[in-house]
Amino acid sequence: QKRREEKNTTMDPTELQQHLTTALSLPPNHVTVGLSNLLSSNKQTQSLLIHRRLPDNGWSDLQIHRLLLVLGELDTSSGEVVGAVGGGDGGGGSGSGSGSGGSSAGSSTYTGRWCGVGEREGRTYSTLILTNHYGLTHGIGRSGDVTESQPKALGSSTLYRLTTHLVLDAVR
């Protein structure tokens, strides 16, 4: 079975600006303002994760929602279909790809989001509940230690650690 090759869809801002103005016929000055807002938001998120300090100016609800959605994407149980290459099932449990692909015996390449079937996996049937929890269904900690990072819940673990740093910064 041939593996479908996918193009890298990451664009630099200049390339994105060019595509928005030419392919979608959007006015260049509108595109410039929109991209400036997007890049500014990304820089604020990056600064928060790097410095682990409360921002000087509070964030809007939209900025907070965006951060939580980004963190939710990091959990293996967030439900979005992605292509992946891995060896084995990601550590514990039996892995299965969702969507068009699946993990075949002897193959370390699969398409679809990995989702385990263990008793502690984060699964949500209702999209309403999934949306209300930003895809953070897996939880934090491991085997009774809430501070230990959960390999299948990078977003939840990141949120826990970031929250700890921000609370300590507030106390200072």
Side-chain angles (χ1 to χ4, degrees):
Q1 178 180 355
K2 291 183 179 179
R3 180 176 162 239
R4 187 172 69 99
E5 296 295 324
E6 295 185 19
K7 293 180 181 179
N8 183 0
T9 58
T10 305
M11 289 186 213
D12 66 71
T14 305
E15 186 180 0
L16 182 57
Q17 183 174 17
Q18 181 182 4
H19 285 293
L20 289 173
T21 55
T22 57
L24 297 176
S25 302
L26 293 170
N29 57 330
H30 296 182
V31 172
T32 300
V33 170
L35 287 177
S36 294
N37 290 339
L38 180 63
L39 292 173
S40 174
S41 179
N42 286 340
K43 286 179 183 177
Q44 289 171 328
T45 300
Q46 185 178 9
S47 177
L48 182 71
L49 294 172
I50 290 170
H51 301 293
R52 301 174 316 258
R53 301 189 71 109
L54 290 169
D56 293 332
N57 299 312
W59 283 17
S60 69
D61 289 348
L62 182 60
Q63 289 171 301
I64 295 168
H65 286 290
R66 187 168 181 267
L67 174 65
L68 292 172
L69 287 169
V70 167
L71 293 177
E73 290 270 324
L74 298 177
D75 280 8
T76 60
S77 57
S78 71
E80 289 292 321
V81 175
V82 295
V85 176
D89 64 17
S94 57
S96 67
S98 63
S100 61
S103 182
S104 60
S107 173
S108 63
T109 303
Y110 59 92
T111 58
R113 174 154 309 269
W114 182 89
C115 181
V117 293
E119 74 280 1
R120 296 178 305 181
E121 304 299 329
R123 292 182 294 273
T124 305
Y125 177 76
S126 168
T127 55
L128 177 63
I129 300 301
L130 185 66
T131 301
N132 286 339
H133 293 278
Y134 299 95
L136 297 165
T137 61
H138 207 291
I140 58 173
R142 297 188 72 178
S143 301
D145 184 358
V146 74
T147 63
E148 191 172 343
S149 183
Q150 173 58 259
K152 299 170 207 157
L154 180 60
S156 299
S157 297
T158 301
L159 183 58
Y160 164 74
R161 298 244 172 113
L162 180 61
T163 301
T164 301
H165 285 284
L166 295 178
V167 168
L168 290 173
D169 185 45
V171 170
R172 277 186 238 132

